[in-house]
C-alpha cells in the first residue's frame, strides 16, 4: 500500500521538523512521500523530493491539512494511506508505516488509526491523548470513536467517501467531526499503543483561542452531525462539565462567548448520523452525549 505523510508547520520549529522528516525517511518498506504545508509562513530548506505548499496566511489546522491531502492528488488519490504528523513530533519506531500497512491490509473495514503520543523524556502518555473514556491504561489498544489530529493514519478511501476535515473549525474538534462521519459510513477507528509519536507534553489551553474555539466547535460538531434529539443533550452535558471544572473567570467568559457563537453562526452542511451509528458509538464505549 502506498503511504504519504502530511505535515503542517508554521515555520517556527525547523530543527524539530527536520528530525521528524528524518524519522519518516527511516521507515521500513517502500519510501514514504511527504507533503509539508507552510501555514502562513515560508518553509525552511527541506530534503529533495518533499512536496511543498506555502499558504499566504494561516488558514487553521483542518484547512491546512486538507491542502496537504490535495498535494497527493484529489482526495489524496495518489496514495492509499496518509499519515498526519505534528511538526514537533517524532516517529519512535522504524516499523510504524509497516504496521499501518499491515493493519489496513488485514482489516478492510478499518478507516483510521490513532497513534499513541508519548513524551520523549518521560515516555508518559497524557490522559487526554487516549481517545476513549476509559483512558487510564494508554498501553491498551482498542476500537475508539475519535482520533488524535497530529498522530494518525487515514485510509484515503475514507476521505474520498466522506470528505476531509471541516475547514471552518480552524482549531479543535475537527478530528471528531471526521471520525463521526467515517463511523456513520461504516468505517472503524483503532487506537494503537504500539504506534508511537514522541511529542513534548503540552497543555491545550496554551493557545489564546482555545476556550472560545473549543466551545464554538463543540456546538458546530453537534449541529452538523447529531440527530436533533441528541443535540441539546450532548451540549447540555458539556455545558455542565465545563462549569464543574471551575475554569477561571476569563476562560469561562471566552467559553461562553464561543458557545453562543456556535449557535448563531453557520456550521456547514448538516448530515445527522443514523441512529444505528449512535448505537455503534454506544457499544464502543462513548455514546454521543459526552
Amino acid at each position: 500500500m502506498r503511504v504519504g505523510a502530511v505535515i503542517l508547520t508554521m515555520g517556527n520549529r525547523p530543527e524539530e521538523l527536520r528530525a521528524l522528516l528524518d524519522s519518516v525517511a527511516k521507515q521500513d518498506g517502500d519510501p514514504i512521500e511527504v507533503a509539508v504545508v507552510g501555514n502562513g509562513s515560508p518553509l525552511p530548506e527541506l530534503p529533495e523530493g518533499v512536496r511543498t505548499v506555502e499558504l499566504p496566511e494561516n488558514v487553521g489546522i483542518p484547512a491546512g491539512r486538507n491542502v496537504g491531502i490535495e498535494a497527493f492528488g484529489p482526495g489524496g488519490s495518489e496514495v492509499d494511506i496518509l499519515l498526519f504528523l505534528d511538526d514537533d513530533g517524532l516517529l519512535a519506531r522504524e516499523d510504524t508505516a509497516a504496521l499501518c500497512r499491515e493493519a489496513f491490509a488485514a482489516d478492510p473495514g478499518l478507516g483510521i488509526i490513532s497513534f499513541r503520543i508519548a513524551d520523549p523524556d518521560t515516555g508518559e502518555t497524557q490522559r487526554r491523548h487516549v481517545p476513549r473514556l476509559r483512558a487510564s491504561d494508554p498501553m491498551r489498544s482498542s476500537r475508539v470513536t475519535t482520533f488524535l489530529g497530529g498522530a494518525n493514519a487515514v485510509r484515503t478511501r475514507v476521505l474520498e467517501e466522506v470528505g476531509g476535515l471541516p475547514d471552518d473549525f480552524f482549531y479543535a474538534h475537527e478530528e471528531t467531526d471526521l471520525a463521526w462521519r467515517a463511523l456513520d459510513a461504516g468505517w472503524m477507528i483503532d487506537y494503537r499503543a504500539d504506534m508511537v509519536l514522541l511529542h513534548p507534553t503540552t497543555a491545550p489551553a496554551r493557545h489564546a483561542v482555545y476556550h472560545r474555539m473549543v466551545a464554538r466547535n463543540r456546538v458546530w460538531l453537534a449541529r452538523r452531525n447529531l440527530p436533533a434529539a441528541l443535540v441539546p443533550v450532548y451540549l447540555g452535558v458539556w455545558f455542565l462539565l465545563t462549569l464543574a471544572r471551575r475554569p477561571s473567570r476569563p476562560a469561562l467568559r471566552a467559553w461562553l462567548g464561543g458557545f453562543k457563537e456556535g449557535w448563531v453562526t453557520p456550521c456547514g452542511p448538516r448530515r445527522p448520523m443514523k441512529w444505528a451509528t449512535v448505537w455503534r458509538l454506544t457499544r464502543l464505549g462513548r455514546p454521543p452525549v459526552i
Side-chain angles (χ1 to χ4, degrees), residues 188-234:
M188 298 301 293
I189 305 170
D190 278 356
Y191 167 73
R192 287 284 296 264
D194 57 337
M195 300 182 189
V196 181
L197 184 83
L198 299 177
H199 187 282
T201 297
T202 56
R206 71 190 185 280
H207 299 293
V209 296
Y210 171 78
H211 297 287
R212 179 177 71 86
M213 289 195 175
V214 160
R216 182 198 67 181
N217 292 358
R218 182 80 69 184
V219 178
W220 281 359
L221 177 70
R223 290 175 58 199
R224 285 163 58 93
N225 295 287
L226 290 181
L230 292 184
V231 172
V233 180
Y234 176 83

Side-chain angles (χ1 to χ4, degrees), residues 132-155:
R132 58 178 179 244
L133 290 178
R134 296 177 179 177
S136 59
D137 182 7
M139 301 307 294
R140 178 174 66 87
S141 300
S142 69
R143 294 281 200 203
V144 290
T145 61
T146 189
F147 62 98
L148 306 175
N152 66 79
V154 179
R155 192 191 296 266

Side-chain angles (χ1 to χ4, degrees), residues 11-201:
N12 55 349
R13 295 188 281 238
E15 294 182 4
E16 292 89 339
L17 174 59
R18 186 56 188 252
L20 171 62
L21 292 172
D22 288 344
S23 74
V24 172
K26 292 177 181 177
Q27 292 296 298
D28 299 337
D30 293 338
I32 297 174
E33 294 283 339
V34 178
V36 177
V37 179
N39 204 2
S41 66
L43 292 172
E45 184 177 350
L46 298 172
E48 185 177 352
V50 171
R51 308 180 190 201
T52 60
V53 183
E54 291 187 354
L55 300 176
E57 61 181 355
N58 180 358
V59 297
I61 293 173
R65 286 183 175 143
N66 284 338
V67 169
I69 293 170
E70 297 302 309
F72 292 97
S77 56
E78 294 176 11
V79 294
D80 304 298
I81 303 165
L82 277 175
L83 311 179
F84 293 88
L85 306 170
D86 276 350
D87 66 342
D88 56 344
L90 188 73
L91 291 174
R93 296 168 41 160
E94 296 181 3
D95 64 347
T96 300
L99 290 173
C100 287
R101 289 186 179 101
E102 291 172 7
F104 284 120
D107 185 353
L110 179 61
I112 302 172
I113 299 172
S114 189
F115 300 167
R116 180 168 64 88
I117 293 180
D119 185 273
D121 296 322
T122 66
E124 294 183 1
T125 296
Q126 291 180 274
R127 187 182 182 88
R128 69 185 182 90
H129 283 153
V130 183
R132 58 178 179 244
L133 290 178
R134 296 177 179 177
S136 59
D137 182 7
M139 301 307 294
R140 178 174 66 87
S141 300
S142 69
R143 294 281 200 203
V144 290
T145 61
T146 189
F147 62 98
L148 306 175
N152 66 79
V154 179
R155 192 191 296 266
T156 51
R157 279 184 55 201
V158 173
L159 302 172
E160 177 186 355
E161 187 171 341
V162 307
L165 297 158
D167 284 352
D168 291 341
F169 277 42
F170 197 86
Y171 167 78
H173 302 319
E174 66 272 9
E175 303 92 350
T176 300
D177 187 90
L178 175 57
W180 282 1
R181 285 182 281 126
L183 288 161
D184 197 47
W187 296 99
M188 298 301 293
I189 305 170
D190 278 356
Y191 167 73
R192 287 284 296 264
D194 57 337
M195 300 182 189
V196 181
L197 184 83
L198 299 177
H199 187 282
T201 297

